[in-house]
Amino acid sequence: MSGNIQLLSDTLAGAKTEGRSALIAYLPAGFPTVDGGIEAIKAVFDGGADVVEVGLPHSDPVLDGPVIQTADDIALRGGVKIADVMRTVQEAHEATGKPVLVMTYWNPIDRYGVERFTTELAEAGGAGCILPDLPVQESALWREHAEKHGLATVFVVAPSSKDERLAQITRAGSGFVYAASLMGVTGTRESVGAQAQDLVERTRGTGTELPVCVGLGVSNSAQAAEVAGFADGVIVGSAFVKRMLDAPDHAAGLAAVRELAGELAKGVRGQV
């Protein structure tokens, strides 16, 4: 069975045809529970997200700030397993028909087995993986299996990335390029800043045809509109997780993330 890289590409291209950026949301699997996490992803899609990244909770998340670390800790204490991540991807995709990726650090895949992981992700209807800590020069085995199974390999670039490295990453990646808007960990910010726009321009300057999507720091419709002015996609994670953490109960959490997705969807459409 082949994964859904084509659905991902078509979704991003469709947003571009509409003259807007895509809205890409992030939520960890198993948070607050496995079933509750699946419901939250469906709510985010219902609110207007185009794509969802499902986080594979990890005990040492180097890119993630305190909000996502808190959610990961809840998921891990709840006993979340890779099988639960796959079920989350499958049920979210089957319920919505929309592209669902996994965002994970390399160690869990390495321990699980690359062939096993890519096979199961494709069977679940996954569109690919975002791999923030896999160096491109060490990615050949992963890319071979991902390509075989129709999965995107999304690499992360940062403001510190030199032009030569950007070119190397854009040649090797597929699906889209994840541009981290600033140095540091995930979390909401007062301003996303000019660094992100410069990084997007430098990434496009490599000649890549991959969409360039910006994450880290976006939390409201005004920031989404700002980033949508120069990026192909706007990635939002911590703001969704925080809405879930702050909600008095699960139903309120679902309503809160659906509402936030709606606000951000207006932002990427310039309807602020």
Side-chain angles (χ1 to χ4, degrees), residues 2 10 17 33 57 74 86 92 105 125 128 134 170 211 232 234 238:
S2 183
D10 291 347
T17 300
T33 62
I74 290 168
M86 298 298 180
Y105 298 97
L134 177 63
T170 57
D232 299 300
V234 179
S238 296

Side-chain angles (χ1 to χ4, degrees), residues 80-98:
V80 70
K81 301 284 193 294
I82 288 180
D84 299 314
V85 177
M86 298 298 180
R87 179 162 80 86
T88 299
V89 170
Q90 182 167 358
E91 294 195 15
H93 170 64
E94 286 180 351
T96 64
K98 295 188 177 177

Side-chain angles (χ1 to χ4, degrees), residues 220-226 228 263-272:
N220 58 49
S221 58
Q223 290 174 334
E226 178 193 351
E263 292 169 7
L264 294 165
K266 286 181 181 177
V268 299
R269 287 167 173 80
Q271 299 169 354
V272 182

Side-chain angles (χ1 to χ4, degrees), residues 8 30 44 79 87 116 119 138 153 176 194-195 220 260 265 270-271:
L8 174 65
V44 166
R87 179 162 80 86
R116 181 183 177 195
T119 299
E138 296 174 22
T153 298
F176 64 91
Q195 262 191 329
N220 58 49
L260 177 59
Q271 299 169 354

Side-chain angles (χ1 to χ4, degrees), residues 207-233:
T208 185
E209 294 185 1
L210 292 175
V212 184
C213 304
V214 170
L216 273 65
V218 177
S219 61
N220 58 49
S221 58
Q223 290 174 334
E226 178 193 351
V227 174
F230 57 81
D232 299 300

Side-chain angles (χ1 to χ4, degrees), residues 62-152:
V62 292
L63 184 70
D64 297 317
V67 170
I68 290 175
Q69 285 186 26
T70 299
D72 276 6
D73 187 52
I74 290 168
L76 290 167
R77 283 192 279 115
V80 70
K81 301 284 193 294
I82 288 180
D84 299 314
V85 177
M86 298 298 180
R87 179 162 80 86
T88 299
V89 170
Q90 182 167 358
E91 294 195 15
H93 170 64
E94 286 180 351
T96 64
K98 295 188 177 177
V100 183
L101 299 113
V102 169
M103 184 165 187
T104 179
Y105 298 97
W106 180 245
N107 184 255
I109 294 178
D110 195 36
R111 292 178 60 186
Y112 198 71
V114 176
E115 171 63 16
R116 181 183 177 195
F117 191 94
T118 51
T119 299
E120 291 182 7
L121 183 55
E123 287 174 348
C129 254
I130 300 161
L131 300 158
D133 66 341
L134 177 63
V136 66
Q137 64 270 22
E138 296 174 22
S139 67
L141 177 66
W142 163 266
R143 287 187 286 123
E144 176 192 336
H145 287 286
E147 190 173 342
K148 181 172 77 172
H149 291 291
L151 298 169

Side-chain angles (χ1 to χ4, degrees), residues 188-210:
T188 61
R189 301 289 195 282
E190 292 299 315
S191 170
V192 180
Q195 262 191 329
Q197 186 167 0
D198 176 66
L199 178 57
V200 170
E201 288 172 358
R202 289 199 299 120
T203 303
R204 287 186 179 140
T206 65
T208 185
E209 294 185 1
L210 292 175

